[in-house]
Amino acid sequence: MKIKYIPILKDNYVWIIINSNNFCIIIDPGDYIPVLHAIKKLNIYPVAILVTHHHLDHVGGIQKLLNIYPNLSVYGPKDTKIFGTNRTCKNNCYIKILHYTFKILFTPGHTTEHISYYKKPHLFCGDTLFSGGCGKIQKGMILNMYNSLKKIKRLPEDTLIYCSHEYTFHNLKFSKSIFKNNQTVLKLYKKVKNILLKNKCSLPSKLEIEKKINPFLNLDNVEIRNYTKINKDLMFDLNILAILRKMKDKYK
């Protein structure tokens, strides 16, 4: 099993899983032309698409790919049907493609029906969790995002995080402003900076590392509580998540 990334749009990644017979699974094709170029270059043939959520930068290429490969199975949450999904996924169910079994994890917060695909040790989590950060939270979905992050945090520590955007460096700048003496953050910051200077991908990350450097997985941390300056009477994790995400939105 090989996993390749395709840069698309401004900072998105399409992930492609390739088996030993050169059949492949495409994850979140927000554009189709770079995907077609990769298919040709790698000499692979797509059999399925996995969709995490309905935002255009994740589904924008589906219809064009279906026009070229009409037999594709397209898996996703029910609100992606209008974009070409023909296999609706439900929480905790399993799907089998190319002899690979994926568990569907319901991970709402960024959108109401966001899902992630888990095949140990690989997690394709769309815009729920990023390296060093989490996705923007839809209005009224703070509790959902909180529970989704907790769900991911409970996975094995060797879980590899394949998110859909190259946000790592900017997220680590934010983490660095909070965890001022965290050597893991500082070392990773320098490492990612060098990776990006070479126009390479900083992902996947590992959950074991994220637990050390990601503010949104450390809501009970003293440094997080001090950074958010929450009144002691309001100092509970859900409230900290809401304030921390707002602070991240404003961070330059």
Side-chain angles (χ1 to χ4, degrees):
M1 175 178 174
K2 293 185 292 185
I3 301 175
K4 301 283 187 179
Y5 70 91
I6 306 170
I8 65 165
L9 305 173
K10 181 183 177 183
D11 50 31
N12 283 68
Y13 289 129
V14 175
W15 296 101
I16 295 188
I17 300 169
I18 307 168
N19 77 355
S20 57
N21 295 317
N22 277 5
F23 291 107
C24 72
I25 302 165
I26 302 166
I27 301 169
D28 281 351
D31 194 3
Y32 74 98
I33 293 176
V35 174
L36 291 177
H37 287 166
I39 287 171
K40 183 177 181 180
K41 181 180 178 180
L42 296 169
N43 192 29
I44 54 180
Y45 190 87
V47 298
I49 294 173
L50 307 182
V51 180
T52 60
H53 64 290
H54 71 267
H55 287 162
L56 194 60
D57 60 331
H58 294 253
V59 300
I62 294 175
Q63 288 293 350
K64 292 287 188 180
L65 290 170
L66 280 171
N67 290 342
I68 300 167
Y69 303 101
N71 294 322
L72 280 174
S73 296
V74 186
Y75 296 84
K78 63 182 180 181
D79 64 357
T80 60
K81 279 186 177 182
I82 58 172
F83 299 101
T85 295
N86 51 39
R87 301 281 191 279
T88 301
C89 296
K90 296 181 179 179
N91 186 37
N92 288 331
C93 73
Y94 292 85
I95 58 174
K96 192 169 185 178
I97 313 167
L98 297 177
H99 301 293
Y100 302 135
T101 301
F102 298 87
K103 184 176 183 179
I104 307 301
L105 301 179
F106 187 48
T107 52
H110 182 64
T111 66
T112 56
E113 296 185 18
H114 194 296
I115 60 175
S116 299
Y117 299 85
Y118 178 59
K119 182 203 173 298
K120 190 176 181 179
H122 312 283
L123 179 72
F124 300 93
C125 55
D127 288 359
T128 297
L129 180 72
F130 297 121
S131 182
C134 75
K136 288 189 176 181
I137 303 172
Q138 184 174 310
K139 187 176 180 180
M141 297 290 290
I142 188 70
L143 177 59
N144 304 79
M145 179 62 92
Y146 174 72
N147 288 330
S148 294
L149 293 173
K150 281 180 63 179
K151 182 181 291 187
I152 291 174
K153 192 175 179 180
R154 288 195 295 266
L155 293 172
E157 291 209 333
D158 66 348
T159 300
L160 297 172
I161 308 296
Y162 296 85
C163 50
S164 294
H165 289 272
E166 186 55 80
Y167 291 162
T168 311
F169 185 68
H170 186 68
N171 287 342
L172 287 172
K173 285 179 73 174
F174 183 62
S175 291
K176 200 156 65 81
S177 72
I178 302 170
F179 304 124
K180 298 184 185 299
N181 299 310
N182 186 318
Q183 291 303 308
T184 306
V185 172
L186 296 173
K187 287 178 183 177
L188 189 58
Y189 177 83
K190 293 177 183 177
K191 179 181 177 181
V192 169
K193 185 176 182 179
N194 289 330
I195 288 171
L196 297 182
L197 285 172
K198 297 175 184 176
N199 290 318
K200 294 188 176 181
C201 176
S202 69
L203 303 165
S205 182
K206 187 179 282 189
L207 186 58
E208 178 183 14
I209 299 297
E210 292 304 311
K211 287 182 177 182
K212 296 176 182 178
I213 60 100
N214 195 321
F216 298 94
L217 296 182
N218 289 280
L219 300 174
D220 59 348
N221 184 286
V222 173
E223 289 172 290
I224 298 286
R225 292 168 184 255
N226 291 338
Y227 188 83
T228 50
K229 298 177 181 177
I230 297 176
N231 183 295
K232 288 185 178 180
D233 295 334
L234 300 174
M235 199 176 284
F236 50 92
D237 288 357
L238 190 61
N239 199 31
I240 292 171
L241 173 59
I243 292 172
L244 190 64
R245 184 60 247 193
K246 287 180 181 178
M247 295 177 80
K248 175 64 172 63
D249 290 340
K250 295 176 182 178
Y251 185 79
K252 301 291 186 183

